[in-house]
Amino acid sequence: MKHKLRGHLFQGCYKAIPVDGEDGTYFRTASDYIHLNPVRAGLVRGDDVLLNYRWSSFPALSGISRRRPEWLCAEWILDRGDNVSGRKIFRYSLEERARKERRGGFFDSDAFRDVLLDRIRKSGGKEACVGGMPDEQEAERIIELGLGIWGLQRGDLQKMPKGKQEKIAIACLIRERTMMTNGWIAKQLHMGDPSRVCRYCSAGRENRVIQKLANTL
């Protein structure tokens, strides 16, 4: 380099990673991850909202910013449509996830986090694994925990309806706590097409029965 400077700021900071956007699900997952990064980095703190972070496309996608760059594609991000309702759902969904990220990425309350940690300790696990396990291992743990609590076997998942509330509760928790794709979740929980996972989980956020089930995990 011309000035012989090294480090993250000057070296290896630009890269391009291909993302499969054919079914729209993984692209949305990657998009959510990027938009939530300011929260994880501590750039959006306290009771501040994600919309106030100026170096993000979130305000433009949410319809709050009146000017949206022509190059900013919303087709694979606004899965409920690029309209008033779709943008509102997208905005509410991400702000909710940002709020939960501040509390450690758990699906519901701090009480739920304590219950989950207690179960992990009793099963011989370590508290550190809650935030530090690889995503697939963490997702598998959530599935096994749910099956154990509800007295189910892996084979039962295939026999159960695709939109069974227990499945949706597990799927919601996996999406909240990991970066596993909808395709992976759909395959493991036998929920049909990956696009179903996104729809089920969106509805699950408003369903008290599903949230109650998630709180038992």
Side-chain angles (χ1 to χ4, degrees):
M1 297 177 64
K2 181 177 179 180
H3 299 288
K4 298 182 180 180
L5 297 174
R6 300 177 182 274
H8 294 297
L9 182 61
F10 310 98
Q11 177 180 322
C13 55
Y14 300 106
K15 59 182 177 181
I17 301 175
V19 174
D20 181 10
E22 287 300 317
D23 62 4
T25 55
Y26 188 71
F27 189 91
R28 170 63 191 274
T29 301
S31 169
D32 287 355
Y33 178 82
I34 293 169
H35 285 115
L36 288 170
N37 265 337
V39 178
R40 300 188 185 101
L43 300 175
V44 180
R45 301 177 181 177
D47 296 327
D48 200 5
V49 293
L50 196 58
L51 284 170
N52 289 343
Y53 184 68
R54 60 180 298 188
W55 308 110
S56 171
S57 59
F58 182 55
L61 290 167
S62 300
I64 300 302
S65 174
R66 294 183 179 180
R67 297 181 60 185
R68 180 191 293 176
E70 294 183 3
W71 49 261
L72 182 58
C73 177
E75 181 181 353
W76 288 339
I77 300 175
L78 302 177
D79 50 13
R80 293 298 184 91
D82 190 5
N83 49 50
V84 174
S85 176
R87 291 189 288 270
K88 183 177 180 180
I89 291 172
F90 170 71
R91 182 169 70 249
Y92 171 79
S93 171
L94 227 60
E95 287 289 8
E96 273 294 289
R97 291 186 64 180
R99 180 177 63 84
K100 290 164 187 171
E101 283 282 348
R102 296 188 189 100
R103 297 192 308 193
F106 286 80
F107 185 73
D108 194 31
S109 63
D110 293 330
F112 166 54
R113 179 182 187 277
D114 294 337
V115 169
L116 183 57
L117 287 173
D118 184 56
R119 289 186 182 277
I120 291 174
R121 293 189 195 102
K122 289 179 179 178
S123 66
K126 297 181 180 179
E127 182 172 340
C129 73
V130 174
M133 289 183 66
D135 281 1
E136 186 168 357
Q137 292 182 26
E138 178 65 8
E140 287 285 358
R141 177 183 286 273
I142 293 170
I143 294 174
E144 292 299 329
L145 189 59
L147 293 176
I149 291 174
W150 299 321
L152 299 170
Q153 302 294 327
R154 281 275 183 167
D156 296 329
L157 292 172
Q158 192 168 2
K159 303 172 186 176
M160 295 163 62
K162 294 180 176 63
K164 186 74 172 175
Q165 291 177 331
E166 287 83 353
K167 288 186 178 184
I168 299 176
I170 292 175
C172 284
L173 195 54
I174 291 175
R175 278 171 58 92
E176 292 291 337
R177 299 221 14 238
T178 77
M179 285 296 294
M180 299 309 295
T181 66
N182 288 336
W184 187 93
I185 297 172
K187 182 178 180 180
Q188 298 300 318
L189 299 180
H190 298 277
M191 299 180 79
D193 189 88
S195 61
R196 290 175 179 265
V197 176
C198 191
R199 293 198 297 269
Y200 285 144
C201 290
S202 294
R205 295 188 188 99
E206 308 296 327
N207 190 309
R208 292 183 179 179
V209 174
I210 290 175
Q211 289 196 27
K212 186 175 181 180
L213 284 171
N215 284 338
T216 65
L217 293 180

